[in-house]
Amino acid sequence: RAPQALAAEQERLARQFALAPFDFEHENLFRLHLVVYPGDECQLIFTAHHIIWDETSTLNLIREFATLYGAEC
């Protein structure tokens, strides 16, 4: 897959998941989608409703991912 096509598909999926409405009665207020592409390319899409997420939550998540990623490399 060409890099531009892959980037376009990643953007399309991220937008699709971000714009999907939440069903308060039947699902969690956050979603995780792991998309695996041919080769070694993966995309983790995290979507959270604004009721449960704020700037501090974002900073904590980034810090945790950086720590985990650093431990694996």
Side-chain angles (χ1 to χ4, degrees), residues 6-61:
L6 179 60
E9 178 65 5
Q10 290 173 329
E11 178 66 28
R12 185 191 71 76
L13 285 175
R15 187 174 308 281
Q16 174 186 331
F17 290 129
L19 295 176
F22 285 90
D23 180 351
F24 293 111
E25 280 190 53
H26 300 105
E27 68 176 341
N28 294 322
L29 295 179
F30 67 91
R31 300 181 190 120
L32 283 171
H33 300 276
L34 178 61
V35 184
V36 180
Y37 297 97
D40 62 353
E41 188 79 26
C42 296
Q43 178 183 22
L44 180 63
I45 303 171
F46 175 73
T47 310
H49 195 281
H50 68 91
I51 289 175
I52 64 163
W53 204 257
D54 61 7
E55 183 180 1
T56 301
S57 301
T58 301
L59 296 173
N60 288 335
L61 181 67

